[in-house]
Every structure is written in C-alpha cells, then in structure tokens.
C-alpha cells in the first residue's frame, strides 16, 4: 500500500478536529443480513472447535464412579479403609474428590463416590475393578454415576427390535474350490494407485480384479484368506466374494496398522493420530467384531510399545498386552480382564503365545542377584508349567514352532557387564539356543551353544529341524539342526561361506530358500533338506522380499518401490528354483499371496499321501502337459490370427496403391516412375573393378 503524503495527513487531522465527536455514535455500521439472505454455513463448520469445548450437562458427573460392596466400618477404622481404597483406585487415574456416606453412628454405609479428572479414567475403573474381590466377604460392584439416570429412563413398554434384511455376501471361501488349487495373489503398483488380484495359472497368471485407488497405502489378507483389507484415511474396508464386493467398513481416522485375530473373528486397528483430547473413550486402539462391524472395546496407546500391541491366542479366546511389571490378559467375548486382574510379573521384557495351545511364554530380565528366567504360563489356570533360569543374559528372543511342539529361546549372553550411569554395555557376547520340548513330560530343555553372531533363525513349519545363519559377512555359515525326542539337538548339515541373511521355509517344510537380500544383491539358493541337496541357485538383483505361496509350489521374489526406486518387478520361481515368470511393473510396491486355512486332513493321512506321491504325480504331469499343449495351441492360433490381419492390411494397401497410379503419373508430368523407383526398370547397372594390392610368394622346392 502506498504511503500518504504529510499534507494529506494534516488535512485529514484538520477535518477530524472540525467534525462532531458524536457523529460516529450517530452512524453505527449495520451488520444485519439482507432480508432474503439464507445462511448455508452451519455452526459446526463455522465454530467446530468451540462447539466441541462447550460445557455439557453431564460435565463433572460422567467422571464419578460409585463403588458398592465396600466394608462397613466404624469411625475408628475409616481412615485405614480410605488409605487402602485410595491406593487401589489411584492406579486408574487422578482422584479429584471422594465421598464416604456415613450412618448416624459415624460408620460407613458400604458404598463410596470417587471423582476422577476425566471420564476416560472413570471408564477404566469400571472395566478394571467391577467384580473385584476385595476380601473373602466383599466383592466390588462398580458403576458410573450416569448409569443410574440411563437405567431410570428405560421404556415401560418393550419394543422388539426391527429385524434387518439379510445381505447376501456370496461365498467368501470360493477360492478354495478352484479345480487345480491355483493360489491367488495381490499386487500393488504405480506407487499404490493401482491394485490387482491374480490367479496363479500357468503359463500366464489370470487377472481376476483390478481397480484404481483401491487403497491409499497398503493392502492385507486376513490370516485364513477370507477377507481383503484396504487402508483409507477414514478407516478400513474389508472385501470378499468372487467380485470382491465390500463386506464391512470400520471407521477409524488415521489408521496405520491392523491385526486380525487368528480365527478372523476380531480386527485390531491402531491410529497414532487419534485425538488425545477425547475424554469420553480412548481412540488410539480399537477392537472390532468382524462379522457385525461393531466396536467391542477401545484402549489408549503407549508410544513406547512395539507393534502389535495385542497378541492373540490361537483360538481367539484370549488376547494380551504387556505393561510395566505386568501382563494383562483379556478374554472374549466379554473383553474384560481375565479373573478381573492383571498378572504381576516384575521386570517382564517380552512374551509370545503358543500357536496351538493357550500357553504364554515370557521372559524376565536380570535384577541385582536374581537371574533372568523364561516361564511357560498356562491359561486360564495361570499355572507355571515350566520355569528356566538363565544367567549372564543381555537379551532373549522367543521362536515358537508352527506346530507348537517346540519353543526355542535365543539367549544373548555376556562375559562382562559395565554400567555407565544409565547406560549398560556388554562385552564378550556369545549365544545359546534353549529348546523346550513341549510335548514331552515335564518339558525338558536342551541347550545349543553358538559362539558366532546369530543373523537369523527359523523353525521348519512342519518337522523337527531348524536353521541358523551365524557369523559375520562374508564368512556367514548356515547350520541345520534336528530335534529328536529325548535327545539334544544335533547338527545334520553345515554350509560354509554362504552369501545369505534370511531364511524362508516352505509352508509344508522340507524345502528352504537361503536368501541374501538388500545389501547382498538378491542371491537365492534352493535347498531340499531331506538329503540337503542344493536344487538350484539364482539371483534377483536388489530383491527386497521373498514370499512362498500357501501350497509351497511357488516362490515370489520382489524388488519393491518402497525399497528401491529402480528395477521394480516381481519374479515367480518353482520350489526347485526354476524361474517361471519375470514381471516388471511401474513403481511396483507389494506382492502378497492369499492365505489358505489349515488342512482338514489328519496328520497321518498327510504322511501317507507324501509316501505315495509318485503314484499321484503321473496324472498331474499328464494334466500339466495338456495345459502346456493347450497354451501352445492358443499361441499358434494367436500368431496365425496376427499373420492373417497383416496379410489383409497389406492387400488393402496394395489396392490403394494401384488405384492411385493414374494420379501419380499426372503429378509427375506423365512420366511413369513406379518401375524405375520400385524395380529399377530404366536404370543401368555398372560394375567397377579396383586394383587394391598384389602379393608374390616364393615357395622352396
């Protein structure tokens, strides 16, 4: 804006001095809307933040809890009772007020009013202490103060709920009926803008569905393959059926992580961007019922905890989370604490569920003169079925075998320990593998010592072997151990100087891929552990991911755009290491195989099928040859069709050329140049010879 001249300012000051000071009061501006003006902006849009903060009728009431079942004591014991109750209820939040109603003689009436700083804390008290057994004669009944008004407003006349119309969702397990048991896989490419689902037919995959902007970040299959989950800014959507129609939606803004329960009954969603100012109910972690889409329970998130925050039992009956010096186990479908209280475990560091039993393995770090220990806890009885003490422990990591027959605990031990203020440093690190035999009496534990650094560990999913990558590059080695009943694990094979850093067992065991990903340039080695034959070696340069299909017949390797910005593609291999397909996609991001539910065949029948596999293999080989011949026939037909199209187009252009002959001669002054240009009719051929060099050679007689 240009500055005004000083003379203009002076003139304005003089005019102001001559004006009447009451003129401004006489001519007030009018802010009223015109008569025909219609305001289409709601108060929520205009002042949403202020409206959310406005006082409510229930403010100050919804944060009050009423505890019934409190012991009735005389005036001389009231202070002691208050101290005990205050210690119990302070765990759930900040207590701002408490009131103990008294009888005429000064004794308590058996109920207490406690007010917290917000409604979320009061709700946690309700969930954590309702039904709490204070002593053998007193059990607490906890309610929110607002519940009394809610239950007073119950209708006198019961109205039956209106039945909702049945929504046909189709067969969600149709993919299991595929005649040749071909698996499906999903592909995310073009930086996440496109998602496609393919059927892994041979020799070319069949496109089942392709949609732009199907997801905004990731996709994920449910553990049994029933649902296909996509991520959106407002929540999660599940898709299924032959046409991948939408089954259910879960509204959770900012969701970045999900986790299904093993039986797909529940879905856990986590949003680190949840509004921390919400006081009515936590918003960070929500557990949903998959079939109904109903929110079952919500939790606050601790930023220090690793994902997944909740870990599920194999049958969806329990889920657990780890806190400071405690392990909280919840049961379904009530979603309350098991036995109404958490399990106190001083110094707990990590835990893991058995994949086949309701047993938790957890480990506790060293504390002064107390050694570290690994404990197997049986639920719901809470019986400690096995405890293993460990000494000089820096770190532990637990690996369950998929069949639940064995548990291996990798123990990082130290020779010397040095403490510098809050920092702890270890030196002389060596490693032990503690193997728990879960199916044997009293659960014996065997130990395997490995002096070198352990890079990776993996159990054979179905079998009794495990593999370990140990040592430092480029001198890493791969050792295979076999576990037998009543015996210490024995080494059955060792490969020296292998360029690998990851282990990938086939879902049915026996076959394994030794992969050198990322920094090791994508080297691959396919091994049959039945006789430890190296079936094949290969390389997918800069590979970032390796994925077995559920049947163990194919392996996919991928270079993800998230890991590298060039050469993005996925390759398909046979289980023997033969390359089948190379597919390059623009900004390819992710490939995921669709899981299959566990086989309904008993273990003995599966063993019998494997023994007589040669008897069945012949008919499958014939079928594969027919497929290939059919594919070859289709290819020949396709080529013939293309050739015919070319011949038709060529004849059409020749006819057009002949029709335009007269016009060409007119344009060239009645000189026919077709013959001279095309066939050289009037051109003369001249041959010119050049003398280049003459050589003379003498031959001795």
């Amino acid at each position: 804006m240009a500055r005004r001249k000083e003379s203009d300012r002076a003139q304005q000051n003089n005019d102001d001095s001559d004006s009447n000071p009451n003129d401004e009061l006489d001519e007030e501006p009018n802010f009223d809307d015109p008569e025909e003006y219609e305001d289409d902006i709601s108060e929520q849009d205009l002042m949403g933040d202020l409206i959310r903060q406005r006082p409510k009728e229930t403010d100050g009431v919804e944060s009050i809890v009423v505890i019934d079942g409190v012991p009735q004591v005389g005036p001389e014991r009231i202070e002691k009772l208050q101290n005990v109750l205050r210690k119990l209820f302070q765990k759930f939040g900040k207590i701002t007020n408490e009131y103990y109603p008294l009888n005429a003689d000064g004794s308590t009436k058996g109920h207490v009013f406690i007010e917290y700083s917000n409604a979320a804390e009061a709700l946690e008290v309700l969930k954590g202490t309702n039904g709490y057994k204070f002593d053998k004669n007193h059990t607490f009944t906890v309610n929110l103060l607002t519940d009394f008004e809610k239950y007073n407003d119950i209708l006198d006349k019961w109205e039956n709920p209106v039945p909702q119309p049945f929504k046909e969702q189709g067969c969600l397990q149709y993919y299991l009926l595929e005649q040749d048991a071909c698996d499906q896989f999903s592909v995310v490419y073009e930086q996440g803008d496109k998602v496609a689902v393919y059927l892994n037919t041979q020799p070319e995959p069949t496109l089942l569905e392709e949609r732009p902007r199907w997801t905004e970040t990731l996709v994920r299959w449910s553990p049994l393959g029933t649902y296909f989950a996509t991520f959106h800014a407002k929540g999660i959507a599940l898709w299924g059926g032959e046409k991948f129609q939408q089954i259910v939606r879960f509204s959770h803004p900012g969701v970045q992580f999900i986790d299904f329960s093993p039986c797909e009954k529940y879905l856990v969603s986590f949003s680190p961007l949840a509004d921390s100012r919400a006081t009515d109910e936590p918003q960070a972690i929500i557990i949903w019922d998959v079939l109904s889409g109903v929110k079952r329970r919500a939790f606050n998130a601790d930023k220090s905890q690793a994902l997944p925050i909740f870990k599920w039992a194999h049958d969806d009956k329990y889920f657990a989370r780890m806190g400071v010096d405690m392990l909280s186990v919840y049961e379904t479908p009530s979603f309350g604490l098991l036995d109404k209280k958490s399990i106190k475990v001083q110094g707990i560091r990590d835990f893991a569920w058995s994949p086949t039993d309701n047993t938790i393995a957890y480990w506790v770090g060293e504390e002064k003169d107390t050694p570290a220990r690994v404990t197997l806890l049986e639920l719901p009885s809470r019986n400690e079925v096995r405890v293993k003490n460990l000494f000089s422990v820096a770190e532990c990591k637990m690996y369950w075998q998929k069949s639940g027959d064995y548990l291996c605990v990798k123990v990082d031990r130290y020779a010397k320990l040095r403490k510098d203020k809050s920092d702890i440093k270890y030196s002389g690190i060596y490693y032990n593998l503690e193997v728990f035999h879960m199916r044997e009496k009293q659960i014996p534990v065997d130990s395997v010592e490995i002096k070198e650094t352990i890079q990776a560990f993996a159990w054979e999913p179905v079998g009794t072997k495990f593999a370990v990558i140990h040592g430092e590059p480029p001198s890493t080695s791969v050792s295979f151990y076999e576990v037998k009943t009543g015996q210490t694990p024995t080494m059955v094979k060792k490969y020296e100087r292998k360029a690998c850093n990851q282990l990938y067992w086939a879902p049915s065991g026996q076959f394994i891929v030794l992969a050198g990903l990322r920094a090791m340039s994508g080297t691959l080695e396919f091994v049959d552990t039945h006789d430890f034959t190296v079936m094949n070696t290969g390389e997918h340069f800069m590979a970032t991911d390796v994925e077995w299909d559920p049947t163990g017949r194919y392996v996919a390797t991928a270079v993800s755009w998230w890991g590298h910005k060039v050469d993005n593609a996925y390759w398909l291999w046979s289980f023997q290491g033969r390359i089948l397909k190379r597919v390059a996609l623009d900004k390819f991001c992710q490939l995921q195989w669709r899981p299959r539910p566990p086989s309904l065949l008993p273990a003995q029948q599966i063993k019998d099928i494997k023994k007589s596999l040669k008897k069945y293999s012949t008919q499958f080989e014939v079928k594969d040859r027919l497929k290939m011949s059919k594919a070859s026939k289709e290819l020949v037909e396709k080529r013939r069709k293309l050739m015919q199209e070319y011949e038709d187009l060529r004849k059409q252009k020749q006819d057009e050329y002949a029709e335009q002959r007269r016009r060409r001669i007119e344009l060239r002054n009645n000189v026919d140049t077709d013959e001279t240009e095309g066939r050289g009719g009037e051109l003369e051929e001249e041959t010119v010879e050049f003398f280049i060099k003459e050589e003379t050679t003498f031959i001795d007689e």
Side-chain angles (χ1 to χ4, degrees):
M1 180 183 293
R3 296 182 178 179
R4 292 184 295 178
K5 296 181 180 180
E6 295 297 331
S7 59
D8 295 340
R9 292 181 181 178
Q11 180 65 31
Q12 181 180 5
N13 293 334
N14 293 333
D15 294 342
D16 292 342
S17 60
D18 296 337
S19 61
N20 189 348
N22 296 326
D23 289 346
E24 295 182 358
L25 298 177
D26 296 336
E27 299 181 2
E28 291 184 355
N30 184 10
F31 294 101
D32 294 337
D33 294 329
E35 295 182 359
E36 299 180 356
Y37 176 78
E38 294 183 2
D39 189 358
D40 58 350
I41 303 177
S42 65
E43 292 184 356
Q44 183 67 31
D45 296 334
L46 194 61
M47 300 181 296
D49 295 338
L50 294 175
I51 292 176
R52 281 194 294 269
Q53 297 175 9
R54 65 184 177 186
K56 297 181 292 186
E57 294 181 1
T58 55
D59 284 351
V61 179
E62 59 186 6
S63 59
I64 299 176
V65 294
V66 184
I67 300 98
D68 288 307
V70 178
Q72 298 183 17
V73 299
E76 69 281 357
R77 300 182 59 189
I78 290 180
E79 184 177 355
K80 183 178 180 181
L81 176 64
Q82 290 176 341
N83 292 333
V84 173
L85 294 181
R86 193 177 296 118
K87 184 178 180 181
L88 172 63
F89 289 100
Q90 277 179 345
K91 298 178 181 179
F92 300 93
K94 181 181 178 181
I95 297 177
T96 60
N97 195 8
E98 53 186 5
Y99 174 65
Y100 289 77
L102 303 177
N103 294 312
D105 58 356
S107 62
T108 61
K109 291 188 174 182
H111 56 272
V112 179
F113 296 86
I114 297 180
E115 182 179 358
Y116 285 86
S117 58
N118 57 64
E121 295 177 352
L123 191 62
E124 288 298 316
V125 175
L126 176 63
K127 296 175 180 178
T129 60
N130 187 33
Y132 178 81
K133 193 170 183 179
F134 186 69
D135 55 35
K136 63 180 181 180
N137 296 323
H138 298 87
T139 301
F140 290 163
T141 301
V142 182
N143 292 282
L144 297 175
L145 185 60
T146 54
D147 288 344
F148 292 93
E149 182 179 354
K150 180 176 69 176
Y151 294 124
N152 283 333
D153 294 338
I154 295 177
L155 297 175
D156 297 332
K157 184 179 180 181
W158 168 253
E159 296 181 1
N160 291 324
V162 178
Q164 299 297 319
F166 175 73
K167 183 180 179 182
E168 178 62 43
Q169 296 179 347
C171 180
L172 300 182
Q173 285 79 29
Y174 77 97
Y175 61 97
L176 300 176
L177 304 177
E178 210 281 324
Q179 186 176 3
D180 297 323
C182 294
D183 288 300
Q184 297 180 10
F185 62 90
S186 63
V187 175
V188 181
Y189 61 103
E190 291 190 6
Q191 199 176 340
D193 287 342
K194 285 189 178 180
V195 180
V197 179
Y198 289 89
L199 183 66
N200 189 31
T201 52
Q202 297 299 327
E204 296 291 334
T206 303
L207 178 63
L208 299 178
E209 193 74 24
E210 184 180 29
R211 299 179 188 176
R213 304 299 300 169
W214 200 352
T215 184
E216 296 183 13
T217 52
L218 307 172
V219 298
R220 183 170 176 180
W221 295 99
S222 59
L224 304 181
T226 307
Y227 304 103
F228 186 58
T230 57
F231 289 69
H232 307 274
K234 294 184 179 180
I236 299 295
L238 297 188
W239 312 78
E242 295 187 31
K243 300 300 181 182
F244 287 95
Q245 66 268 21
Q246 190 175 105
I247 305 299
V248 65
R249 291 182 301 175
F250 305 102
S251 177
H252 196 179
V255 60
Q256 294 185 7
F257 174 83
I258 64 170
D259 184 34
F260 285 91
S261 62
C263 298
E264 301 181 343
K265 293 181 181 178
Y266 307 105
L267 173 73
V268 182
S269 60
F270 169 61
S271 173
L273 305 178
D275 189 2
S276 59
R277 296 171 300 174
T279 58
D280 52 347
E281 189 175 358
Q283 297 293 328
I285 305 171
I286 301 177
I287 302 181
W288 308 86
D289 186 289
V290 171
L291 289 179
S292 63
V294 175
K295 181 193 297 186
R296 302 307 303 267
R297 185 166 178 184
F299 296 85
N300 289 317
D302 186 355
K303 295 182 179 180
S304 63
Q305 288 185 321
L307 298 174
I309 296 176
F310 289 104
K311 299 180 182 180
W312 290 85
H314 74 287
D315 55 2
D316 288 8
K317 288 185 177 179
Y318 307 99
F319 62 98
R321 71 183 298 183
M322 185 177 65
V324 179
D325 297 334
M326 70 175 182
L327 181 64
S328 300
V329 181
Y330 300 84
E331 57 184 344
T332 60
S334 66
F335 289 86
L337 276 171
L338 181 64
D339 297 334
K340 308 299 182 182
K341 58 183 178 180
S342 298
I343 304 171
K344 293 183 179 180
V345 184
Q346 189 72 27
I348 185 172
R349 301 282 292 276
D350 195 11
F351 75 99
W353 285 94
S354 166
T356 55
D357 303 288
N358 288 331
T359 301
I360 284 182
Y362 67 84
W363 78 278
V364 175
E366 294 180 326
E367 183 67 29
K368 295 182 180 179
D369 297 331
T370 305
R373 71 180 188 275
V374 176
T375 304
L376 297 177
L377 187 69
E378 193 179 62
L379 295 170
S381 63
R382 303 196 183 195
N383 293 331
E384 295 184 355
V385 294
R386 187 69 166 89
V387 178
K388 173 69 175 178
N389 290 329
L390 303 170
F391 299 90
S392 303
V393 176
E395 184 65 34
C396 286
K397 195 166 184 179
M398 295 173 289
Y399 301 91
W400 280 98
Q401 189 211 27
K402 186 178 179 181
S403 302
D405 297 336
Y406 303 99
L407 167 67
C408 178
V409 181
K410 181 178 76 71
V411 184
D412 300 0
R413 298 182 183 272
Y414 62 87
K416 293 182 180 180
L417 171 66
R418 187 177 64 185
K419 293 185 177 180
D420 295 337
K421 297 181 180 179
S422 60
D423 189 19
I424 299 177
K425 297 182 179 180
Y426 303 100
S427 60
I429 296 291
Y430 62 100
Y431 303 87
N432 270 54
L433 300 178
E434 305 290 338
V435 181
F436 292 71
H437 298 251
M438 300 299 299
R439 306 305 181 195
E440 297 182 34
K441 189 176 181 180
Q442 296 181 349
I443 311 181
V445 182
D446 293 323
S447 181
V448 177
E449 184 175 344
I450 298 178
K451 295 293 185 181
E452 299 174 307
T453 303
I454 295 179
Q455 304 287 349
F457 175 95
W459 277 105
E460 183 180 17
V462 181
T464 58
K465 294 188 287 290
F466 63 84
V468 183
I469 300 177
H470 52 92
E472 296 290 344
S475 301
T476 53
S477 302
V478 183
S479 298
F480 291 86
Y481 291 82
E482 187 168 7
V483 184
K484 294 183 179 180
T485 303
Q487 297 182 12
T488 302
T490 56
M491 183 187 295
V492 292
K493 184 66 177 180
K494 183 177 181 180
Y495 293 103
E496 302 281 354
R497 299 184 66 84
K498 289 293 181 182
C500 62
N501 54 14
Q502 296 292 335
L503 300 165
Y504 296 95
W505 283 96
S508 57
Q510 183 176 345
F511 305 105
I512 190 173
V513 176
L514 312 180
L517 303 183
R518 300 183 184 274
M520 291 190 175
S521 301
T523 58
L524 304 168
E525 196 160 344
F526 297 80
V527 180
D528 182 355
T529 62
H530 178 70
D531 52 6
F532 291 97
T533 302
V534 178
M535 299 180 292
N536 207 346
T537 58
E539 181 181 4
H540 188 175
F541 185 63
M542 294 193 301
T544 57
D545 302 284
V546 177
E547 294 281 347
W548 279 92
D549 80 315
T551 59
R553 295 179 293 177
Y554 303 99
V555 182
T557 59
V559 179
S560 173
W561 183 79
W562 295 329
H564 298 285
K565 303 305 179 186
V566 296
D567 297 334
N568 304 131
Y570 69 88
W571 294 3
L572 294 180
W573 310 68
S574 70
F575 73 96
Q576 297 169 324
R578 181 168 57 90
I579 186 69
L580 302 175
K581 186 79 175 169
R582 294 181 176 93
V583 181
L585 292 173
D586 182 34
K587 296 181 180 179
F588 163 79
C589 298
Q590 180 190 40
L591 182 145
Q592 282 189 328
W593 293 96
R594 186 171 195 167
R596 288 177 174 266
S599 174
L600 299 178
L601 298 177
Q604 185 59 43
Q605 190 171 354
I606 294 176
K607 290 182 180 179
D608 295 340
I609 292 174
K610 287 183 177 181
K611 289 180 181 178
S612 56
L613 192 58
K614 291 183 178 180
K615 181 178 69 174
Y616 303 110
S617 61
T618 306
Q619 56 181 328
F620 292 117
E621 289 174 359
V622 172
K623 197 169 185 179
D624 290 340
R625 283 196 296 269
L626 289 174
K627 279 185 179 179
M628 296 306 295
S629 63
K630 182 180 178 182
S632 300
K633 183 178 179 181
E634 291 175 353
L635 182 61
V636 170
E637 292 295 334
K638 182 179 180 181
R639 288 177 177 174
R640 285 178 178 173
K641 183 179 179 181
L642 291 174
M643 187 63 183
Q644 185 62 43
E645 291 176 357
Y646 165 73
E647 292 292 348
D648 294 343
L649 180 61
R650 184 171 180 269
K651 186 177 182 304
Q652 177 186 347
K653 296 303 179 183
Q654 286 177 340
D655 294 342
E656 292 178 1
Y657 185 79
E659 292 175 359
Q660 296 170 358
R661 175 182 172 82
R662 185 180 58 82
R663 181 59 176 163
R664 285 198 305 275
I665 293 174
E666 292 177 357
L667 293 174
R668 296 173 182 175
N669 299 324
N670 295 320
V671 177
D672 185 3
T673 58
D674 288 356
E675 295 295 329
T676 58
E677 292 182 354
R679 301 175 179 82
E682 298 180 1
L683 297 179
E684 295 181 0
E685 181 178 352
E686 181 181 358
T687 303
V688 180
E689 295 182 359
F690 294 92
F691 179 77
I692 300 176
K693 187 177 182 182
E694 181 180 1
E695 293 184 356
T696 303
T697 303
F698 296 95
I699 301 174
D700 297 334
E701 295 183 355

